[in-house]
Amino acid sequence: MGASAAAIDSGQGASLSLRCDGCGAQIHVAVGLRTAKCPYCASPAVLERPADPSRPDPTFVLGFVVTKERALEQARAWIRRPLFAPGAFRRAVPSDVRGLYLPAYLYTAVANADYDAQIGENYTVVETYTTTDSKGNVVTRTRTKTVTEWRPLSGSWAAYVDDIVVTASAGLPNAELEQVEPFDMRALQRFSPTAISGWIAEDPSLTKEQCLTLARTETEAAIGKRLAGHMPGDSHRALEYRWKTQHEDLELIMLPVWVLAVKYAADQPPVRLVVNGQTGLVGGRAPLSWIKVGVSIALALAAIIAAVLFAGSK
Amino acid sequence: MTDVLSCTRCASPLERGDFRCAICSLPTPVPATDATATTEVAAAVMRCQGCGAAVAYDVKVAAPKCAFCGAVTALETPDDPLEQAEAYLAFRVDPEQAKAALRQWLSGLGWFRPPDLRSAAIVDKLEPLWWAGWAFDAGVTVSWAADSNAGAGRSAWAPHAGTFALELSNVLVSASRGLTEAECEALAPGYNLADVSEAPEPDSRARVEQFEVQRSAARATIARALTNVAARDAAKHVPGSNIRKLSVAVVPERMSTRRLGFPAYVLAYRYGDAVYRAIVHGQNPQFVVGKAPWSWARIVMIVVAAIAAIGLVAAIVAFAS
Ligand SMILES: [Zn+2]
């Protein structure tokens, strides 16, 4: 497809100078990006490269479903919500809306765990107690009480782990991606350059080993959650497990996200919001207004003191 | 015969058009593309097949679209076709045998049914049908945990856990809308899955029930059925006679599923003024399931007799004391 010649930009090494397929002008593709737009003819271009095992092509891509307008709407609704945010934040208008394909790894494996836990089995006992009734007489009454008997349980557990998704971009930490998960993996499409044409698409900036570590951390948490649901009894405590995974697989995928900036004060850095391009779920951390928090704590304290004084005066 | 690829992780046969294994989610091998590999870095503009203008992904159509002529390029997605039966089990019971099987069944229902049920029942309608369903085979590692009365201390319950390997073959899962879950379950053990017939002719007298579900929905149904079968089997591994809070985790391997048409007769019969429904197996007339009238006269008789007996005993006890 592309007939242009490649030349590494000798100056900074920060961008790649390529000839536009559309009009022949020189376009600069920032290193780490997969896509570019020609500033002269506005043609969207996708970088094509010789096969390179250290820089694999994505296997799958999830297409955008949420439009820019809807992403903005979702973000505005989200900004208005946090009670303890400064008023300026709650009135701020998000700007700098960019739709981008985030490189991420999709991890699947077979998980095995050996666990030990204390299982709580409830039973009831009838106990007698003495109290004074409304006429001031001392009476003996009975009541039933629930008691928990703790029993040890050890066992093994195995299951498939699928749909663990971790970021492959140093620009968007995994914790921020987790806020807008899940993505519906049933909508996976085979990666093709046309799927990302016209959008910003990044190359992975984290190594596969870093991503594998992230995926295993998420897997450990996922196993713990599923084991907690697996436990019998009325309750459980001291759940401990040793786990391992087999047949691990990591696939590079591209996830659709809208990234927005919320500038609410001249002296504060803008807050970054991420909107899931498939579901519209918004993630981010709203700033706290220390005045609002302080006033709320003071009011709560005042209410408690008033209640104590009132109770004491009775 | 074409080679069937198997998943390298769970050894289940892969189906054409899948991007990931339906059992364990491992991506399937990417089919070799005949596109010429690039030898140098290039900024390629994606071109419209129709007019040659640049193509960009468009959110509104959720696909790459040409800004000039509006043509939409389809992206490759996993196949999710409507399920189609791949084989039909042969009818081994003819309509007359089916009617006889119904009468045989009616006469064996017990004393609380009308005594003339067998002779007075009139068959109104008899419809041969191939109902839609799946049959699967799998090897499953089952991990279970549950409470039971075995080893109970002060509480009535004690926790237990274990793992075992389960070999499943020819487990039937209904996709039928015409037959109820209970009816399918009652007929299931009577089918011989090796006794397959020719695909039914379009003018066949028997109705062919369609699956009416897509592959993805079918897999969800089959996965639920597998977990249910595993849980039922796990219950046998729990010590004690009373069980609660049974939970299972499954690792299915070598799982293969067939989409089949199962032969049966749907009958409507009249007794008195009421119409009842019964299903007769299409391969084995021993299997009949359905509804039948009760003999209220006989039930009332027994109840009256029971009350009289209790009264008599009470009277004797009162007299003796
Ligand atoms: Zn598999």
Side-chain angles (χ1 to χ4, degrees):
Chain A
M1 247 180 251
S4 352
I8 306 292
D9 187 44
S10 52
Q12 300 299 314
S15 73
L16 214 59
S17 194
L18 298 165
R19 209 170 64 88
C20 173
D21 231 16
C23 67
Q26 286 292 307
I27 54 173
H28 297 277
V29 184
V31 164
L33 284 186
R34 286 296 301 243
T35 51
K37 191 174 228 173
C38 174
Y40 302 99
C41 71
S43 294
V46 180
L47 218 62
E48 287 191 335
R49 293 188 293 233
D52 177 358
S54 70
R55 239 180 0 191
D57 274 336
T59 314
F60 302 122
V61 57
L62 279 177
F64 271 93
V65 180
V66 173
T67 59
K68 188 176 190 169
E69 293 72 37
R70 212 190 121 212
L72 265 169
E73 231 169 78
Q74 296 278 104
R76 269 192 228 112
W78 189 90
I79 289 165
R80 281 194 290 268
R81 229 175 293 148
L83 265 185
F84 288 114
F89 178 80
R90 299 180 63 198
R91 287 187 301 272
V93 177
S95 59
D96 225 358
V97 192
R98 283 174 306 145
L100 63 89
Y101 279 104
L102 179 80
Y105 276 103
L106 175 60
Y107 171 89
T108 60
V110 185
N112 290 276
D114 291 317
Y115 60 85
D116 300 298
Q118 291 288 325
I119 306 297
E121 304 285 8
N122 292 352
Y123 61 98
T124 53
V125 289
V126 178
E127 58 177 22
T128 50
Y129 66 105
T130 54
T131 183
T132 47
D133 67 10
S134 54
K135 295 189 186 82
N137 302 318
V138 175
V139 290
T140 305
R141 296 236 169 96
T142 62
R143 62 185 164 202
T144 58
K145 205 175 110 188
T146 300
V147 187
T148 303
E149 179 188 19
W150 293 101
R151 304 284 305 263
L153 181 69
S154 300
S156 323
W157 174 93
Y160 290 119
V161 176
D162 53 7
D163 296 355
I164 299 269
V165 172
V166 295
T167 185
S169 167
L172 193 94
N174 203 41
E176 261 183 270
L177 177 61
E178 272 178 43
Q179 289 182 328
V180 298
E181 281 181 51
F183 288 86
D184 185 355
M185 292 299 158
R186 288 173 301 180
L188 282 180
Q189 294 166 328
R190 186 96 60 201
F191 176 79
S192 92
T194 47
I196 59 169
S197 175
W199 297 72
I200 304 164
E202 265 191 282
D203 270 326
S205 43
L206 297 180
T207 64
K208 206 168 176 178
E209 288 65 40
Q210 286 173 306
C211 296
L212 186 59
T213 307
L214 286 175
R216 284 180 180 154
T217 308
E218 269 193 38
T219 301
E220 177 166 12
I223 292 173
K225 215 169 169 185
R226 283 167 74 176
L227 275 179
H230 190 62
M231 293 298 106
D234 297 295
S235 55
H236 68 266
R237 67 183 185 193
L239 172 60
E240 279 173 17
Y241 56 98
R242 298 154 300 286
W243 63 282
K244 63 171 197 284
T245 48
Q246 292 166 298
H247 296 287
E248 290 178 312
D249 183 71
L250 269 184
E251 299 292 331
L252 184 61
I253 61 172
M254 289 265 180
L255 297 176
V257 292
W258 289 100
V259 179
L260 309 87
V262 184
K263 185 84 185 148
Y264 66 99
D267 57 342
Q268 295 291 330
V271 171
R272 177 164 69 182
L273 298 189
V274 178
V275 181
N276 184 318
Q278 193 189 29
T279 64
L281 189 65
V282 185
R285 190 187 287 177
L288 277 180
S289 159
W290 292 110
I291 297 168
K292 283 190 181 180
V293 172
V295 168
S296 305
I297 291 173
L299 279 177
L301 280 177
I304 291 166
I305 291 165
V308 168
L309 288 178
F310 180 73
S313 69
K314 225 175 79 172
Chain B
M1 231 185 107
T2 52
D3 279 353
V4 178
L5 280 178
S6 288
C7 173
T8 54
R9 184 192 275 158
C10 74
S12 304
L14 298 174
E15 279 189 275
R16 195 183 294 274
D18 273 346
F19 286 3
R20 303 167 81 196
C21 169
I23 311 304
C24 75
S25 304
L26 184 73
T28 57
V30 181
T33 48
D34 46 39
T36 49
T38 31
T39 51
E40 53 186 19
V41 184
V45 175
M46 302 297 129
R47 301 274 176 206
C48 172
Q49 300 281 328
C51 70
V55 166
Y57 182 89
D58 187 295
V59 194
K60 291 208 175 70
V61 293
K65 187 180 167 188
C66 174
F68 189 71
C69 74
V72 172
T73 318
L75 290 172
E76 196 190 348
T77 52
D79 291 348
D80 197 5
L82 265 180
E83 294 276 88
Q84 298 289 339
E86 58 201 70
Y88 294 85
L89 303 190
F91 267 99
R92 293 293 172 222
V93 172
D94 66 32
E96 284 316 306
Q97 287 171 311
K99 282 182 195 166
L102 174 74
R103 291 199 187 282
Q104 187 63 35
W105 176 74
L106 288 173
S107 65
L109 286 176
W111 193 79
F112 286 107
R113 309 291 183 168
D116 62 342
L117 183 56
R118 182 192 171 123
S119 52
I122 298 159
V123 174
D124 262 359
K125 215 177 86 192
L126 177 145
E127 186 194 33
L129 162 81
W130 267 293
W131 58 274
W134 300 277
F136 72 82
D137 300 340
V140 192
T141 307
V142 184
S143 323
W144 61 267
D147 283 333
S148 89
N149 59 339
R154 302 229 31 199
S155 165
W157 303 104
H160 301 275
T163 56
F164 63 96
L166 181 61
E167 223 26 73
L168 295 174
S169 65
N170 295 335
V171 178
L172 260 56
V173 184
S174 168
S176 180
R177 295 185 177 221
L179 267 56
T180 65
E181 199 71 36
E183 286 169 344
C184 295
E185 213 163 291
L187 299 178
Y191 287 108
N192 174 9
L193 300 195
D195 192 3
V196 172
S197 76
E198 296 286 305
E201 299 291 319
D203 63 341
S204 155
R205 301 272 303 276
R207 194 159 66 81
V208 178
E209 194 182 53
Q210 298 301 319
F211 274 84
E212 292 180 41
V213 286
Q214 280 175 291
R215 189 190 272 183
S216 54
R219 283 170 177 167
T221 305
I222 295 162
R224 265 197 307 277
L226 180 126
T227 307
N228 288 343
V229 172
R232 226 179 289 166
D233 214 83
K236 293 181 213 154
H237 286 74
V238 184
S241 53
N242 225 347
I243 301 172
R244 69 162 191 177
K245 301 201 173 179
L246 174 67
S247 161
V248 294
V250 293
V251 179
E253 289 175 298
R254 292 173 277 115
M255 183 157 176
S256 64
T257 304
R258 280 156 294 159
R259 306 163 183 92
L260 299 170
F262 296 94
Y265 289 95
V266 180
L267 291 94
Y269 70 92
R270 211 149 23 85
Y271 177 79
D273 298 330
V275 176
Y276 300 87
R277 166 189 158 103
I279 316 291
V280 176
H281 203 285
Q283 285 192 322
N284 185 338
Q286 302 291 319
F287 291 83
V288 181
V289 58
K291 290 220 160 52
W294 296 97
S295 166
W296 291 110
R298 286 184 166 187
I299 291 170
V300 167
M301 213 164 89
I302 283 294
V303 170
V304 167
I307 290 169
I310 292 165
L312 192 65
V313 169
I316 290 168
V317 169
F319 184 76
S321 64

